[in-house]
Amino acid sequence: MKTLSAFFILILFTLSTTFGQILTRGTVQGQVKSVTGKPLEFTTLMLLKAKDSTLTKGAISDMDGKFSFENVEAGKYLVAAQQVGYRKTYSVPFVIDEANPAHELSAIAMSEESKNLTEVNVIAKKPFIEQQVDRTVMNVENSIVSSGNTALEVLEKAPGVTIDRQNDQIQLKGKSGVIVYIDGKQTYLSQQEVANFLKNTPSDNIATIEIITNPGSKYDAAGTSGIINIKMKKNKNFGTNGTAIIGTGYGWTNNLNGVRDDLPKFNTSLNLNHRDGKVNLFGNYSYVNRQSAQSNELNRIIKYNGQTTYFDQRSFRPNQFAGHSYKAGMDYFINDKNTIGVVVNGFSNDWRSAGQNNTLISDENRLLTSKAITQTAMRNFLSNITGNVNYKFDYGKGREWTVDADYVHYGGQNTNNLGTQYYTPENVMSRPAQDVRNSMPSTINIMAFKTDYVLPLKKGSKLEAGLKSSYVNADNNTIYDTLQQENRQWLPDASRSNQFLYNENINAAYLNYAGQVGKLKVQAGLRAEHTHSVGRSVTLNQTVDRSYLNLFPTLFLSRQLDTNNVLNVSYSRRISRPDYQNLNPFVFYLDPYTYQQGNPFLRPQYTNSVELTHVYKNAFTTTLNYSRTTDFINGETPRQIPEQNITYVTPENLGVQDNISLNLSFPVTVTKWWRMQNNISTYYQHYQTIYSGSPYEVKLVAGNLYTSQNFTFSKTLSGEVSGWYNTASQYGFYRAQPQGGFSIGVQQKVLDGKGNLKLNVNDPFWLNYFSGRAVVQDIDLRVQSRWESRQIRLTFTYRFGNQNVKGERQRSSATSAEQRRAGGQN
């Protein structure tokens, strides 16, 4: 409680500091033009310290090419101007001091881009969370407290993002249906599998995480709450360079007997890049070996035929994960206009777990009537290989044509053994043991092709068009066997086994226009997607065949009100198709009383979203968003079979969900050595549906707070403290209790700046855990889940070679919309 109180005091101090500081500073004004004298609107201006080119402030020129920087501290500066199609241009150095508090720059004249431009490197340390006009960016690469963590642990700190650890669900501003991209390519994983993928992705491999709530028509229409794009680290111009990372960590938690369980972790990676003339070669390899654990408490009340039965379940599952991932590629620059590239990447992951689940069954007087102990042994193995061939033709002056062709293969082999023994309250075996095992081989093959064309028009406007076609073939087979206790032989269990085949073809086309009407920047687009899917349960002889065409319009309006204020309005319509695994009607048992089941009759959910964003001085951002989702998919709908004391969860469509969110992002500079970044998100959620024939309605106001404190102690030593807090929230039928935590980290530069040593302590007081309850009709259950969020990590990073090597081209592949919904990864 003292820790949470201190955290709130820190938030209040941040707010008071933000609005209470009065600093005496100067102003810088100027105008940017072309060499012909034409004012250049919406040019990016950067105020740099003359001593080391460190970025101090940013600005955007208005319709007349004018710009200004306010609240500029005393010092010597220069201004850099940058715009697509023009050479980056610098002003002459100038001084701001008491004698010259206001400086009027001579007009900055920009010439068109030269092919042989020698680029000036600008060194700028970005804040951990950066609010841009159309997205929120988390600069993971330079964060101390993120070093050695997993991608999921870093994402948990993002403003507006909440993680349901119990059900492995990611929500953005209270909405599910988040699409996760890796370097602009969609992962093809289900929600639970995305969470597992992020659990085992080292943050040291990540450069930035982008959160885009309203994507344009160029993006696939999938994802009703937005896109999270994780950009992996790249190298940067000619020559050879690389980065080597080695990290170790240690976490701990308590098992069912209250004994501390020690959980070591290790990760290492190597990233190489070489460019010589027309050839650019790049590749990376990473290895992770980590132990983790999760404990759960599940309390249920089941009423049937006038009787009440209490189930109190406690489980502990230690996990061992070993994973290899790799990437290799080449860009060949045929000439100034033609570039061809090839990329191959993949992974091989092995996740194992051996746990125990204790179930105490009591009568309506809470007297113990029986006990059940289930031992579990699971292994999930998944491999992936993805190949991409791409071509780009550059006509010049912004006109270009690109083509991508992809092939993706997933191969999985999951096994799960469950052995349950039943006892009386006196620990005497009451009936024969029950042993069940299953094997779940799966294969998913995906082929996709896409092409995009960009045509510049007059006055800086442009037209974009594209086509895409994707084909998915998935085969999931669930094979159950039951052990006959009399002769100890395994016999096939046809009642639980099932083979599920899924085929899907999506053909899409889009047209997007970006231009300017008066002082209003406009981007309008329309995307059409036709989907044909066939899901067939071979065992049940059940087929679901669907074919549908959807239109997805998008509209973005932006107005530069003055040099300090920008106003943006956007609208989009999006779709979230069911995950492949959720369509599979297979049954996955946790114990004899609890299981999960798929739903082949799931329908897509659709979301219409409107967003208003105000940006003040490129720093203070306020965003208001409203969205309505129809047929929204709840992945964990609880159901019961009371006569058998069984509770299970299944994905279902649950009517209409309305969501209103407000987000405020603001930085604070306390002193030269202490800077803050703060985000406050609140949202109102309302949804209503019919559950088992009766109306069910939820109305909830919730919020998310995040603050990071960055300290610069010297040129080589820095520190960081970050904290986050989520108020009570709702996940479908589950009301979750508040969650929060904080991290502390220090960083020491070594080896003349080529090396970094980072020490991070995450959640030292073990405040981060999940607790929730679902009460609806005959369902009354409570859940509490803990994991080893309390960790200490040490990471060493070493950069070698020429650090000016340009990395691979930034581009998205043809398979940017299917991988999220494919096989699993642990």
Side-chain angles (χ1 to χ4, degrees), residues 336-475:
D336 292 340
K337 295 184 179 296
N338 294 272
T339 304
I340 189 169
V342 59
V343 183
V344 177
N345 60 274
F347 58 78
S348 176
N349 291 341
D350 191 353
W351 179 88
R352 305 186 187 202
S353 175
Q356 179 174 315
N357 184 24
N358 297 338
T359 303
L360 304 180
I361 305 174
S362 306
D363 61 18
E364 57 188 7
N365 297 316
R366 297 308 303 258
L367 296 176
L368 184 65
T369 59
S370 62
K371 296 189 293 185
I373 299 177
T374 300
Q375 302 288 343
T376 63
M378 292 179 282
R379 182 184 182 186
N380 295 344
F381 178 82
L382 183 68
S383 63
N384 160 259
I385 185 169
T386 300
N388 167 264
V389 178
N390 56 86
Y391 169 75
K392 176 182 178 181
F393 183 79
D394 190 346
Y395 296 87
K397 297 183 179 180
R399 182 184 173 200
E400 66 178 36
W401 173 50
T402 59
V403 179
D404 280 87
D406 285 64
Y407 172 74
V408 182
H409 172 76
Y410 288 93
Q413 180 62 61
N414 299 344
T415 58
N416 186 17
N417 296 334
L418 294 91
T420 303
Q421 294 181 321
Y422 301 90
Y423 298 92
T424 66
E426 294 76 27
N427 293 323
V428 177
M429 188 171 290
S430 59
R431 55 176 166 141
Q434 182 180 8
D435 293 279
V436 176
R437 70 182 184 187
N438 65 33
S439 175
M440 293 174 283
S442 63
T443 59
I444 299 177
N445 294 300
I446 303 170
M447 292 184 293
F449 170 86
K450 79 180 182 77
T451 180
D452 299 281
Y453 180 72
V454 180
L455 177 65
L457 303 175
K458 295 180 180 180
K459 296 182 180 180
S461 59
K462 66 178 180 179
L463 196 64
E464 295 177 284
L467 300 172
K468 179 182 175 182
S469 185
S470 65
Y471 301 85
V472 179
N473 178 273
D475 185 347

Side-chain angles (χ1 to χ4, degrees), residues 221 467-468 505-510 526-533 545-553 573-575 577 604 606:
L467 300 172
K468 179 182 175 182
N505 172 222
I506 300 177
N507 296 303
Y510 77 89
L526 180 65
R527 186 179 186 91
E529 293 188 354
H530 177 266
T531 305
H532 180 213
S533 64
D545 191 329
R546 287 199 174 104
S547 180
Y548 49 93
L549 173 67
N550 293 122
L551 298 178
F552 301 97
R573 181 175 188 259
R574 303 188 65 79
I575 185 175
R577 299 177 181 88
Y606 297 89

Side-chain angles (χ1 to χ4, degrees), residues 488-663:
R488 306 297 294 176
Q489 290 186 348
W490 290 98
L491 298 178
D493 190 342
S495 64
R496 303 183 186 184
S497 301
N498 178 58
Q499 184 179 13
F500 182 73
L501 304 176
Y502 183 81
N503 294 281
E504 180 184 83
N505 172 222
I506 300 177
N507 296 303
Y510 77 89
L511 186 66
N512 193 71
Y513 168 79
Q516 197 159 320
V517 179
K519 294 186 177 182
L520 189 67
K521 293 180 68 176
V522 179
Q523 179 177 309
L526 180 65
R527 186 179 186 91
E529 293 188 354
H530 177 266
T531 305
H532 180 213
S533 64
V534 179
R536 184 166 70 95
S537 173
V538 177
T539 307
L540 302 177
N541 193 25
Q542 185 181 59
T543 300
V544 177
D545 191 329
R546 287 199 174 104
S547 180
Y548 49 93
L549 173 67
N550 293 122
L551 298 178
F552 301 97
T554 58
L555 178 64
F556 298 83
L557 304 175
S558 180
R559 174 69 184 273
Q560 183 95 27
L561 303 179
D562 53 38
T563 56
N564 292 326
N565 296 276
V566 178
L567 195 63
N568 301 317
V569 179
S570 63
Y571 163 78
S572 68
R573 181 175 188 259
R574 303 188 65 79
I575 185 175
S576 183
R577 299 177 181 88
D579 299 333
Y580 307 141
Q581 296 286 19
N582 281 344
L583 292 168
N584 188 349
F586 82 99
V587 175
F588 179 78
Y589 286 87
L590 302 176
D591 62 41
Y593 304 104
T594 315
Y595 63 82
Q596 294 175 304
Q597 184 172 11
N599 180 3
F601 300 103
L602 275 179
R603 302 181 302 275
Q605 66 178 22
Y606 297 89
T607 297
N608 289 276
S609 179
V610 179
E611 190 166 276
L612 175 66
T613 302
H614 174 254
V615 182
Y616 178 66
K617 292 187 177 180
N618 290 319
F620 293 80
T621 303
T622 306
T623 303
L624 180 65
N625 177 281
Y626 168 75
S627 66
R628 163 164 281 206
T629 301
T630 57
D631 273 342
F632 84 95
I633 298 173
N634 180 53
E636 301 283 344
T637 304
R639 297 288 180 180
Q640 276 188 173
I641 307 176
E643 61 273 22
Q644 301 179 35
N645 290 328
I646 289 177
T647 301
Y648 67 96
V649 294
T650 183
E652 294 183 7
N653 295 98
L654 293 180
V656 178
Q657 173 179 289
D658 292 300
N659 190 285
I660 302 173
S661 64
L662 178 65
N663 181 78

Side-chain angles (χ1 to χ4, degrees), residues 85-87 111-119 238 275 335-337 394-397 806:
Y86 290 86
R87 177 184 300 180
S111 59
E112 291 189 356
E113 184 77 37
S114 172
K115 296 180 181 178
N116 297 320
L117 176 65
T118 300
E119 186 170 299
F238 285 95
R275 181 168 180 180
N335 51 42
D336 292 340
K337 295 184 179 296
D394 190 346
Y395 296 87
K397 297 183 179 180
K806 283 184 178 177

Side-chain angles (χ1 to χ4, degrees), residues 35-59:
V35 291
T36 61
K38 175 187 175 182
L40 294 178
E41 66 271 21
F42 302 113
T43 300
T44 300
L45 287 310
M46 294 173 287
L47 182 65
L48 311 176
K49 290 185 178 180
K51 180 179 180 180
D52 55 7
S53 295
T54 301
L55 177 64
T56 302
K57 288 180 178 292

Side-chain angles (χ1 to χ4, degrees), residues 173-223:
K173 297 180 180 179
K175 298 181 292 182
S176 58
V178 178
I179 302 295
V180 175
Y181 283 68
I182 304 295
D183 285 335
K185 305 174 187 178
Q186 214 164 343
T187 56
Y188 290 94
L189 305 176
S190 68
Q191 276 283 305
Q192 287 184 333
E193 293 152 354
V194 163
N196 285 330
F197 169 75
L198 297 176
K199 283 179 185 177
N200 298 297
T201 299
S203 64
D204 296 302
N205 294 348
I206 299 173
T208 61
I209 297 177
E210 297 180 337
I211 301 172
I212 310 170
T213 54
N214 259 9
S217 297
K218 187 174 183 178
Y219 289 93
D220 294 283

Side-chain angles (χ1 to χ4, degrees), residues 175-342:
K175 298 181 292 182
S176 58
V178 178
I179 302 295
V180 175
Y181 283 68
I182 304 295
D183 285 335
K185 305 174 187 178
Q186 214 164 343
T187 56
Y188 290 94
L189 305 176
S190 68
Q191 276 283 305
Q192 287 184 333
E193 293 152 354
V194 163
N196 285 330
F197 169 75
L198 297 176
K199 283 179 185 177
N200 298 297
T201 299
S203 64
D204 296 302
N205 294 348
I206 299 173
T208 61
I209 297 177
E210 297 180 337
I211 301 172
I212 310 170
T213 54
N214 259 9
S217 297
K218 187 174 183 178
Y219 289 93
D220 294 283
T224 53
S225 65
I227 290 174
I228 295 176
N229 183 27
I230 300 175
K231 291 186 175 182
M232 311 306 286
K233 287 182 180 178
K234 301 293 190 303
N235 293 323
K236 300 176 180 173
N237 290 327
F238 285 95
T240 302
N241 76 357
T243 302
I245 297 174
I246 185 169
T248 184
Y250 181 82
W252 58 94
T253 185
N254 297 327
N255 59 27
L256 291 177
N257 298 319
V259 179
R260 192 177 79 176
D261 204 32
D262 298 327
L263 304 165
K265 308 168 194 301
F266 172 79
N267 67 278
T268 185
S269 65
L270 178 65
N271 189 357
L272 295 172
N273 200 92
H274 173 78
R275 181 168 180 180
D276 185 10
K278 294 184 177 183
V279 178
N280 184 36
L281 301 173
F282 53 89
N284 59 61
Y285 167 79
S286 66
Y287 171 72
V288 177
N289 192 307
R290 62 193 301 267
Q291 294 183 23
S292 60
Q294 183 165 336
S295 61
N296 295 285
E297 291 188 23
L298 179 63
N299 306 108
R300 293 180 285 168
I301 302 175
I302 299 178
K303 297 182 179 181
Y304 181 69
N305 279 346
Q307 295 183 341
T308 300
T309 304
Y310 292 88
F311 279 76
D312 298 306
Q313 296 173 281
R314 294 184 63 204
S315 66
F316 181 75
R317 188 179 69 187
N319 308 314
Q320 176 73 51
F321 173 83
H324 306 263
S325 63
Y326 59 90
K327 182 177 184 179
M330 178 186 71
D331 291 327
Y332 179 65
F333 304 90
I334 303 172
N335 51 42
D336 292 340
K337 295 184 179 296
N338 294 272
T339 304
I340 189 169
V342 59

